[in-house]
Amino acid sequence: MTPSHTPVLTQPVLDLFSPQEGTHLLDATVGLGGHAEMYLAAAADTQVLGLDIDDSALAQAKKRLQQYGSRVRLTAASYAYLDEVAGNETFDHILFDLGVGSHQLSDSERGISFRSTGPLAMKFSTVGQVQPKLPPSSLPSVKWLEQRLGYAPDAPELIAGIPEEELADILRQYGEERYARRIASALKRMSPNLPAAAVADEIIAAVPGRYEGGRIHPATRTFQALRIVVNRELESLEMGLPKAVSHLKTHGRLVVISFHSLEDRIVKRFLKETKSLTTLTKKPMVATQEEKARNPRSRSAKLRAAQKM
Ligand SMILES: C[S@@+](CC[C@H](N)C(=O)[O-])C[C@H]1O[C@@H](n2cnc3c(N)ncnc32)[C@H](O)[C@@H]1O
């Protein structure tokens, strides 16, 4: 089955960028190329440089955008290191559409979703293929583990390699998980090679029956926390945002779409504290009721935008 992903908040993104003939977009998270395609179709001779750390997503984007020929360049890289890809180039518009794409959640081999039959790897980049450079972890225990292993640990290596108390701290801090201690203890007792779906079952068994009143799957917060730490999501964002601004033209616009409060907090603070930016969104923009009904992933999306002075 060809993976798919419905891009969120497309109209606000288009309105904020208002692509004109010949304008350039840096799409820092091009994914399957949904937002990029919209930008390319909006005006003649617009151009896109697209980055992603998931090379299988890039392969899909390449197919989808091939009709635009040399107007599109796609590269496997993390936005944390976008200087290395963008060189001296500047852009009229820069987009970050953060987090995990539906194409990654629905890939049962990938071990990102708790329905996955694959091992709990949690890496955005496809295991065994291109492994783009990740920024150093901000967590001392993860840094220590990485030094010992000689590479960035995936989720099973992280669970096995750090003390239970620190694993519980990660679940609390990055998943806002109330039952962090119980879950950390269950994770430590598990076999490291369990498929993600079986890990999710262990988590269900470790928490009370009426977990959060049944509103979310009991593994949601744990999987989110592990994914954020394994992919260095927050460290990447902290590194990528100032780099993006340095590649923005004067009067150029930056749009960031985030999907959880930890990301949104970083974006909000960054826009406020960066002297060269004027914030265009006093409050974050969110999806309409119609979009939320059509695309459930848009329910947690928050869009913030700014213009370079
Ligand atoms: C929500 S999807 C983007 C979807 C895209 N806007 C579209 O319309 O198809 C987020 C993408 O960001 C990518 N990603 C996550 N962390 C990244 C990083 N540090 N650098 C570059 N891409 C990253 C993921 O691999 C994923 O494909």
Side-chain angles (χ1 to χ4, degrees):
M1 198 177 71
T2 310
S4 66
H5 172 88
T6 309
V8 302
L9 296 167
T10 47
Q11 197 54 49
V13 171
L14 258 192
D15 292 345
L16 281 158
F17 286 158
S18 175
Q20 306 292 316
E21 185 170 347
T23 57
H24 287 210
L25 167 72
L26 170 63
D27 188 340
T29 55
V30 72
L32 299 191
H35 285 109
E37 182 172 40
M38 193 184 75
Y39 190 90
L40 290 158
D45 211 25
T46 44
Q47 297 199 17
V48 173
L49 172 61
L51 316 183
D52 206 290
I53 47 172
D54 178 350
D55 56 340
S56 65
L58 282 175
Q60 293 287 325
K62 195 172 165 191
K63 264 196 229 153
R64 177 181 198 160
L65 304 175
Q66 67 188 0
Q67 57 171 310
Y68 296 100
S70 61
R71 288 169 60 194
V72 183
R73 287 167 295 148
L74 300 173
T75 308
S78 166
Y79 50 70
Y81 296 99
L82 69 85
D83 283 344
E84 294 174 16
V85 182
N88 294 327
E89 212 172 324
T90 53
F91 300 85
D92 304 283
H93 306 122
I94 299 185
L95 174 66
F96 288 72
D97 176 20
L98 300 170
V100 63
S102 314
H103 52 288
Q104 292 157 328
L105 286 173
S106 62
D107 181 347
S108 64
E109 300 280 292
R110 200 76 75 91
I112 289 179
S113 150
F114 36 74
R115 279 178 274 277
S116 294
T117 50
L120 181 80
M122 288 281 168
K123 285 195 172 172
F124 282 148
S125 47
T126 316
V127 178
Q129 296 186 23
V130 180
Q131 294 289 314
K133 194 158 63 164
L134 290 177
S137 173
S138 56
L139 299 172
S141 56
V142 180
K143 257 192 203 158
W144 170 84
L145 179 62
E146 180 165 350
Q147 270 167 12
R148 231 189 53 189
L149 293 170
Y151 56 87
D154 63 11
E157 288 162 338
L158 182 79
I159 293 166
I162 65 171
E164 187 173 313
E165 195 38 58
E166 294 188 25
L167 184 57
D169 281 347
I170 285 177
L171 304 186
R172 234 174 264 123
Q173 193 181 338
Y174 297 102
E176 292 163 347
E177 174 54 70
R178 248 195 315 154
Y179 302 104
R181 284 184 77 140
R182 292 194 204 186
I183 297 175
S185 158
L187 292 176
K188 289 297 272 187
R189 278 184 273 115
M190 268 169 10
S191 147
N193 299 320
L194 277 187
V199 175
D201 288 343
E202 296 285 341
I203 295 172
I204 293 174
V207 300
R210 289 288 296 156
Y211 179 88
E212 298 213 5
R215 278 186 304 277
I216 57 171
H217 187 291
T220 308
R221 294 177 179 281
T222 299
F223 274 45
Q224 173 187 303
L226 293 172
R227 205 197 72 213
I228 289 175
V229 172
V230 164
N231 294 293
R232 314 277 155 90
E233 288 180 34
L234 304 183
E235 294 89 340
S236 300
L237 190 57
E238 300 263 18
M239 274 176 74
L241 289 173
K243 290 187 175 162
V245 175
S246 72
H247 287 275
L248 204 53
K249 290 183 183 164
T250 307
H251 307 305
R253 289 186 165 187
L254 171 69
V255 169
V256 187
I257 304 172
S258 64
F259 290 87
H260 55 74
S261 57
L262 300 168
E263 286 171 345
D264 185 53
R265 216 173 292 154
I266 293 175
V267 178
K268 184 179 172 189
R269 199 195 57 224
F270 176 78
L271 297 190
K272 197 170 159 205
E273 290 175 358
T274 305
K275 298 267 181 293
S276 60
L277 292 179
T278 310
T279 302
L280 301 170
T281 44
K282 219 168 176 191
K283 287 216 167 114
M285 297 172 83
V286 295
T288 59
Q289 289 306 328
E290 185 276 319
E291 179 172 4
K292 286 181 186 170
R294 186 169 39 81
N295 180 11
R297 213 183 136 267
S298 69
R299 285 183 201 151
S300 49
K302 284 191 175 157
L303 182 156
R304 293 187 188 270
Q307 179 152 343
K308 191 163 174 177
M309 325 248 253

